[in-house]
Amino acid sequence: MKTERENYHHGDLRQALIDAALELVVEKDVSSVSLREVARKAGVSHAAPYRHFEDKEALLAAVAQEGLEMFNYSLYEANQHITNPLEKLEVGCSAYVRYAIAHPSYYRIMFGAYGANVEKKYPFLADSIQQSWMQFVNIIALGQSMGLIRPGDPEQLAQGVWALTHGFAMLVLDNQITLKDSREIEFRSRFTIRLLMEGLMKR
């Protein structure tokens, strides 16, 4: 007899598997996730995940896509009403760090080694990451057009912004920087971003 959890409607099963994968990343790491472990965590048969995902990569791609949709919306929502590009950049980078800390499992799957390996296989992931990336590129281009940000290739400048923001987020997630609470994280992240922005501003 099937258990109650094995009688999922297909749509519910798919989400249950995504949720189980996220829990396993918290408990272990991305490399240790398997469809068998995900099925066990979700309380379904070992064959159940194959109704929606052909393999582990397909499951993690779905997790990454869900996380990227949330991530992109959080960046957009944070600065949609701000007109000054320097302020938009600071607020956007701060929102980036807050998302990483609030959703570490999503973040590690989205931007860890796994994500870099599957973008070509799953173009929708590359599109979502490009959307994230272009938010920063467009802010820098806007700042340049207003004479607030130094001349140069906006994509190269955005790469520096992304590298610093991602690096700070990962240092916090890996406990290489010890911060006691969300207020200190916000203060330190903004302080770090402002140091970078001093180099971006037009002299």
Coordinates of all heavy atoms in Angstrom, one line a residue, residues 7 10-11 14-15 18 20 24-25 32 34 52 67-69 78 92 104 120-121 130 165 173 178 193 196 201:
N7 N 1.4 9.5 -2.4 CA 0.2 9.8 -3.2 C 0.2 11.3 -3.7 O -0.9 11.8 -3.9 CB -1.1 9.5 -2.5 CG -1.3 8.0 -2.5 OD1 -1.2 7.3 -3.5 ND2 -1.6 7.4 -1.3
H10 N 1.3 15.2 -9.0 CA 2.6 15.4 -9.6 C 3.2 16.8 -9.3 O 4.3 16.9 -9.1 CB 2.5 15.2 -11.1 CG 2.5 13.7 -11.5 ND1 2.7 13.3 -12.7 CD2 2.3 12.6 -10.7 CE1 2.6 11.9 -12.8 NE2 2.4 11.5 -11.5
G11 N 2.3 17.8 -9.4 CA 2.9 19.2 -9.1 C 3.4 19.3 -7.7 O 4.4 19.9 -7.5
R14 N 6.8 17.3 -7.4 CA 7.9 18.1 -7.9 C 8.5 19.1 -6.8 O 9.7 19.2 -6.6 CB 7.5 18.8 -9.2 CG 8.7 19.5 -9.9 CD 8.2 20.2 -11.2 NE 9.3 20.7 -11.9 CZ 9.9 21.9 -11.7 NH1 9.5 22.7 -10.7 NH2 10.9 22.3 -12.5
Q15 N 7.6 19.8 -6.2 CA 8.0 20.8 -5.2 C 8.5 20.2 -4.0 O 9.5 20.6 -3.4 CB 6.8 21.7 -4.9 CG 7.2 22.9 -4.0 CD 8.3 23.8 -4.7 OE1 8.1 24.2 -5.8 NE2 9.4 24.1 -4.0
I18 N 12.1 19.3 -4.7 CA 12.9 20.5 -4.6 C 13.2 20.8 -3.2 O 14.4 21.1 -2.8 CB 12.3 21.6 -5.4 CG1 12.3 21.4 -6.9 CG2 13.0 23.0 -5.1 CD1 11.6 22.4 -7.7
A20 N 13.1 18.9 -0.6 CA 14.0 17.9 0.1 C 15.4 18.1 -0.3 O 16.4 17.9 0.5 CB 13.5 16.5 -0.4
L24 N 18.7 18.7 2.1 CA 19.9 17.9 2.1 C 21.2 18.8 1.9 O 22.2 18.5 2.5 CB 19.8 16.9 1.0 CG 18.9 15.7 1.3 CD1 18.7 14.9 0.0 CD2 19.5 14.8 2.4
V25 N 21.1 19.9 1.2 CA 22.2 20.8 1.0 C 22.6 21.4 2.3 O 23.8 21.6 2.7 CB 21.9 21.9 -0.1 CG1 23.0 22.9 -0.1 CG2 21.8 21.2 -1.4
S32 N 26.8 15.8 -2.3 CA 26.3 14.5 -1.6 C 24.8 14.3 -1.9 O 24.3 13.3 -1.6 CB 26.5 14.6 -0.1 OG 25.7 15.6 0.4
S34 N 21.7 13.1 -3.9 CA 21.4 12.1 -4.9 C 19.9 11.9 -5.0 O 19.1 12.3 -4.0 CB 22.0 10.7 -4.6 OG 21.4 10.2 -3.4
H52 N 9.7 13.4 -12.7 CA 9.9 14.8 -13.0 C 11.3 15.1 -13.4 O 11.6 16.1 -14.1 CB 9.5 15.7 -11.8 CG 8.1 15.6 -11.4 ND1 7.1 16.3 -12.1 CD2 7.4 14.9 -10.5 CE1 6.0 16.1 -11.6 NE2 6.1 15.2 -10.6
G67 N 15.5 29.4 -7.2 CA 16.2 30.3 -6.4 C 16.6 31.6 -7.2 O 16.5 32.7 -6.6
L68 N 16.9 31.5 -8.5 CA 17.2 32.6 -9.3 C 16.0 33.5 -9.5 O 16.2 34.8 -9.5 CB 17.8 32.2 -10.6 CG 19.3 31.7 -10.6 CD1 19.6 30.9 -11.8 CD2 20.2 32.9 -10.5
E69 N 14.9 32.9 -9.6 CA 13.7 33.8 -9.8 C 13.4 34.6 -8.5 O 13.1 35.8 -8.6 CB 12.4 32.9 -10.1 CG 12.5 32.3 -11.5 CD 11.3 31.3 -11.7 OE1 10.5 31.1 -10.7 OE2 11.2 30.7 -12.8
A78 N 14.4 45.7 -4.4 CA 15.2 46.5 -3.5 C 15.4 47.9 -4.0 O 15.5 48.9 -3.2 CB 16.5 45.8 -3.2
G92 N 21.4 47.5 -4.2 CA 21.3 46.2 -4.9 C 22.3 45.2 -4.4 O 22.0 44.0 -4.2
P104 N 20.9 30.3 1.9 CA 22.2 29.8 1.6 C 22.2 28.5 0.7 O 23.1 28.3 -0.2 CB 22.8 29.4 2.9 CG 21.7 29.3 3.9 CD 20.6 30.3 3.4
K120 N 25.2 25.4 -19.7 CA 25.1 25.1 -21.2 C 24.0 24.0 -21.4 O 23.4 24.0 -22.4 CB 26.5 24.6 -21.7 CG 27.5 25.7 -21.7 CD 28.8 25.1 -22.3 CE 29.9 26.2 -22.3 NZ 31.2 25.7 -22.9
K121 N 23.9 23.1 -20.5 CA 22.9 22.1 -20.6 C 21.5 22.6 -20.4 O 20.5 22.1 -21.0 CB 23.2 20.9 -19.7 CG 22.3 19.7 -19.9 CD 22.7 18.6 -19.0 CE 21.8 17.3 -19.1 NZ 22.2 16.2 -18.3
Q130 N 21.9 35.7 -16.5 CA 22.2 36.9 -17.3 C 21.3 38.0 -16.8 O 21.7 39.2 -16.8 CB 21.9 36.6 -18.8 CG 22.1 37.7 -19.7 CD 23.6 38.1 -19.9 OE1 24.5 37.4 -19.4 NE2 23.9 39.1 -20.7
T165 N 31.0 41.5 -4.2 CA 29.7 41.2 -3.5 C 29.6 39.7 -3.3 O 29.2 39.3 -2.1 CB 28.5 41.7 -4.3 OG1 28.7 43.1 -4.6 CG2 27.2 41.6 -3.5
L173 N 28.9 33.2 4.6 CA 28.3 31.9 4.6 C 29.2 30.8 5.1 O 28.8 29.9 5.8 CB 27.8 31.5 3.2 CG 26.6 32.3 2.6 CD1 26.3 31.8 1.2 CD2 25.4 32.2 3.6
T178 N 33.1 36.6 10.9 CA 32.1 36.3 12.0 C 31.3 37.6 12.3 O 31.9 38.6 12.7 CB 32.8 35.8 13.2 OG1 33.5 34.6 12.9 CG2 31.7 35.5 14.3
I193 N 30.9 47.6 0.2 CA 30.4 48.1 -1.1 C 30.8 49.5 -1.4 O 31.2 49.9 -2.5 CB 28.9 47.9 -1.2 CG1 28.5 46.4 -1.2 CG2 28.3 48.6 -2.4 CD1 27.1 46.1 -0.8
L196 N 34.3 49.9 -2.7 CA 34.4 49.6 -4.1 C 33.8 50.8 -4.9 O 34.4 51.2 -5.9 CB 33.6 48.4 -4.4 CG 33.4 48.0 -5.9 CD1 34.8 47.6 -6.5 CD2 32.4 46.9 -6.1
M201 N 33.5 55.7 -8.8 CA 33.0 57.1 -9.0 C 33.9 57.9 -9.9 O 35.2 57.8 -9.8 CB 32.8 57.8 -7.7 CG 31.6 57.3 -7.0 SD 31.1 58.4 -5.5 CE 32.4 57.9 -4.4

